[in-house]
Amino acid sequence: MNYNIMKTPMLKTKLILLATFAFTLMVNAQEKSHGIDYSAFKANKVEMNKKIDSLLSVMTLEEKLGQLNLPSSGDITTGQAKSSDVAQKIKEGKIGGLFNIKTVEKIKEVQRIAVEDSRLKIPLIFGMDVIHGYETTFPIPLGLSTSWDMEMIEKTAKMAAKEASADGINWTFSPMVDISRDPRWGRVSEGNGEDPYLGGEIAKAMVRGYQGEDLSKNNTILSCVKHFALYGASEAGRDYNTVDMSRIQMYNDYFPPYKAAIDAGVGSVMASFNEVDGIPATGNKWLLTDVLRNQWNFSGFLVTDYTGINEMIAHGMGDLQTVSALALNAGVDMDMVGEGFVSTLEKSVNEGKVSIEKIDASVRRILEAKYELGLFEDPYKYCDENRAKSEIFTPENRAFARKVAAESMVLLKNENNLLPIKKTGVIAVIGPLANTNENMAGTWSVATPQDKSISVLKGIKEVVGSAGSVLYAKGSNLSYDKDFEERGTMFGKEIPRDGRSDEELLKEALDIASKADVIIAAIGEAAEMSGESSSRTNISIPQSQKDLLNALLKTGKPVVLVLFNGRPLVLTQENETVPAILDVWFGGTETGYAIADVLFGNVNPSAKITATFPRSVGQIPIYYSHKNTGRPLGNSEGKFEKFRSNYIDERNEPLFPFGYGLSYTNFKYDNLKLSPEQLEENGTLEVSVTIQNTGNYDGKEVVQLYIRDLVGSITRPVKQLKGFQKIQLKKGETKTVSFKLTAEDLKFYNYDLDFVAEPGEFEVFVGTNSEETLKSKFELVK
Ligand code: BGC
């Protein structure tokens, strides 16, 4: 233990020295008897503030900066934890939290160093990218968002929190709520698609799920909304690239999900890598202080992304000392990995470039989070071996994950009701994604036992059982391009390249196809073809797999394309040639079972895409909520019109619009009614519609409501989602669904960035997707 006051920084104020001395005596006194009694931190917020004040008053500058320091500890193994460099730094009070450390055993060991061997015994916070589940893994976020089921989404986050907290983790770097309208960007897989309203609803559900009502419970964890802000608008879909956007677009289209998370009480925010309005987000005071703190009243703490501060050097913002000061002054509280704060801020304090008050404010926020997590009360709160043994990857959790995965699969095409198929007869399962466990959970599944995920082949075999027979062939490599294949199969998510020639692989596939009654083609992207640093310029299915698919189609047998993807793909050709397409994303640990559930009709698909699928990569960015332009097309058949806003080589419309997804049954929309027909400023308008299940299966439907503000003080999108309901209808059943609209729903940020609803005419649309809708009109009067 180091109580040596002489080691404290030279330029500390006398006050701090005195206070330090007083506290040191107190610490010594308590230490001699029974150690520091942190249970006093439990009391209430007033009490919390008092205690944090007293702690702050005795901390050395070095200790303060330590609280702002978040290294990754991915390389620590048990036993070594005590002797590592990280351990030494913890002892010296130079670390506030750690991430990438897994298991109660290791976390306990490291926490013990903090609360027993450091001078002030401040507990560490333990973070991890628990993105779509912990060990029990749910669909990648883009897939999960297609369920449009907020209750279920919340429950996935709650279960993830329960598992992670049982394993020592108390902070997750999730939800990622970056709106993206560019599927070239690999990280679309981690977000909730293109729509601000839906994105906001999902952000709230996730935060509620992770944090619950009471953060101090041992099964809830601190959430971190990311990446603030606009990361999904990287130019050309290239990761980490420049973003340039008008403030009107920021406020109306890209900010809402972050703000929704703040309004839901998220405890932390992560700054993004990109620049915002010419200044990297990590050093952008307007973004991190004016918007986040002053306009949105965010009171939690702000962490950078991985080396976000250091990266400002390459952005051209100055040397490490300059960018570290810039970040702190802009509003950053915690420095992830880069150690810019611990290594330079003392110098900046001495030179008057940052103030102690600023540093204190950041330390306070981090201590508050630790307090709210209950760590001062019990630093081992999340380290219960029994929970670790009994609450993770349980059969119940896995059963839920199977259900969630099936609810997140989108039926893109189903010609002549090819699906669902029978379990009887011979089923050929073919494709490079058919027999891989490691690729099922998808990107950012760091805690998942990849080998325990259920492959398509295993899932189908088990669900078919003795009813039929299942044959398998790989059919092709992931890609003809070995280098590309390697880049898409990293981090243990291998699909070993087959030593056989392309011809041999194909021959084997065609042999088994010839014996089959139906062919299931499991093809598409491998898990790491999307996610961080996995941008693509060509978002089609790789050619080797296209060739395989075409050869299978030529057999004349019915072919079902079970499509794996972490982003919208260009499927124009497949949509013409393949009779049935089921988009399964990466469904998590239970993917294979869930696919079988949908293929054989145990589950009727009901998911709807939350990001537009383009016809061609050249249409990107493409999204339903676009503006009209001064020269919109005059026809909806996709006919070219000279001197209108269109292409000479492609139609304007996407292949599959936002909100699209089929079911094994059909739904008929009727009787769109508005009551009253004028909406008063403080009134409510009820929009109702009847929906009938006219097909042969019970099913679920996502009923979507859109509006269009016909005349505005700024140009307005042609459609905006303002409500949705997921309903269940038995076959033959009819239900009336109603939505309530108020002036609040019609508000937008005007040219002065005031949030207003402007009187005038609005169109309202209700339907099964953003294109197929019933339509009516009303007026907002003031
Ligand atoms: C990613 C973040 C992630 C962080 C920590 C970064 O590279 O951009 O999303 O939370 O690493 O793992």
Side-chain angles (χ1 to χ4, degrees), residues 206-423:
M206 295 292 287
V207 172
R208 281 196 304 262
Y210 289 130
Q211 297 194 162
E213 299 277 295
D214 179 1
L215 252 190
S216 74
K217 284 196 173 156
N218 69 354
N219 59 6
T220 55
I221 61 178
L222 188 77
S223 167
C224 180
V225 67
K226 70 187 187 185
H227 307 83
F228 192 58
L230 321 179
Y231 186 22
S234 305
E235 279 180 2
R238 180 154 57 79
D239 212 356
Y240 319 122
N241 203 5
T242 308
V243 170
D244 194 3
M245 189 184 289
S246 71
R247 291 203 175 172
I248 284 180
Q249 191 171 22
M250 292 182 201
Y251 276 83
N252 283 312
D253 299 335
Y254 283 74
F255 279 172
Y258 309 110
K259 181 166 187 301
I262 309 298
D263 292 343
V266 72
S268 62
V269 172
M270 187 186 292
S272 57
F273 287 128
N274 54 281
E275 66 176 70
V276 171
D277 222 351
I279 301 176
T282 312
N284 193 317
K285 188 160 186 285
W286 172 77
L287 184 73
L288 303 187
T289 299
D290 297 359
V291 176
L292 187 64
R293 300 244 176 238
N294 299 341
Q295 292 172 22
W296 297 354
N297 297 319
F298 172 61
S299 60
F301 73 90
L302 188 129
V303 62
T304 69
D305 202 344
Y306 204 104
T307 61
I309 291 176
N310 316 58
E311 290 176 25
M312 287 200 283
I313 301 170
H315 274 289
M317 304 301 291
D319 61 13
L320 188 60
Q321 186 192 348
T322 309
V323 295
S324 300
L326 182 69
L328 187 90
N329 287 328
V332 168
D333 299 310
M334 197 177 224
D335 171 3
M336 187 193 285
V337 175
E339 306 217 322
F341 278 1
V342 275
S343 64
T344 70
L345 284 189
E346 188 180 333
K347 187 160 183 264
S348 291
V349 170
N350 294 343
E351 290 169 4
K353 291 177 177 152
V354 304
S355 69
I356 285 284
E357 289 72 27
K358 262 247 161 297
I359 292 172
D360 282 356
S362 292
V363 176
R364 176 181 297 280
R365 290 185 192 117
I366 287 156
L367 295 180
E368 279 171 357
K370 292 180 176 183
Y371 177 92
E372 281 173 7
L373 281 165
L375 288 169
F376 283 114
E377 179 200 347
D378 176 7
Y380 304 110
K381 181 159 224 156
Y382 304 87
C383 295
D384 177 346
E385 282 92 352
N386 293 327
R387 283 191 62 208
K389 276 186 213 123
S390 62
E391 292 183 18
I392 300 173
F393 207 56
T394 61
E396 301 78 56
N397 292 4
R398 295 185 63 188
F400 177 60
R402 175 173 178 167
K403 188 175 157 265
V404 176
E407 293 287 319
S408 309
M409 292 178 180
V410 186
L411 184 63
L412 291 174
K413 188 178 174 191
N414 195 19
E415 207 171 79
N416 301 325
N417 297 323
L418 172 55
L419 286 173
I421 51 168
K422 294 197 196 73
K423 292 178 193 166

Side-chain angles (χ1 to χ4, degrees), residues 470 567 590 652:
V470 179
R567 53 159 60 80
E590 314 308 312
N652 280 3

Side-chain angles (χ1 to χ4, degrees), residues 442-455:
T443 189
W444 279 120
S445 48
V446 287
T448 308
Q450 306 288 353
D451 55 327
K452 292 197 188 127
S453 292
I454 307 302
S455 71

Side-chain angles (χ1 to χ4, degrees), residues 78 102-110 167 385:
T78 319
K102 188 171 186 281
T103 77
V104 165
E105 206 187 349
K106 282 188 213 166
I107 290 177
K108 225 174 172 174
E109 197 173 308
V110 173
D167 218 13
E385 282 92 352

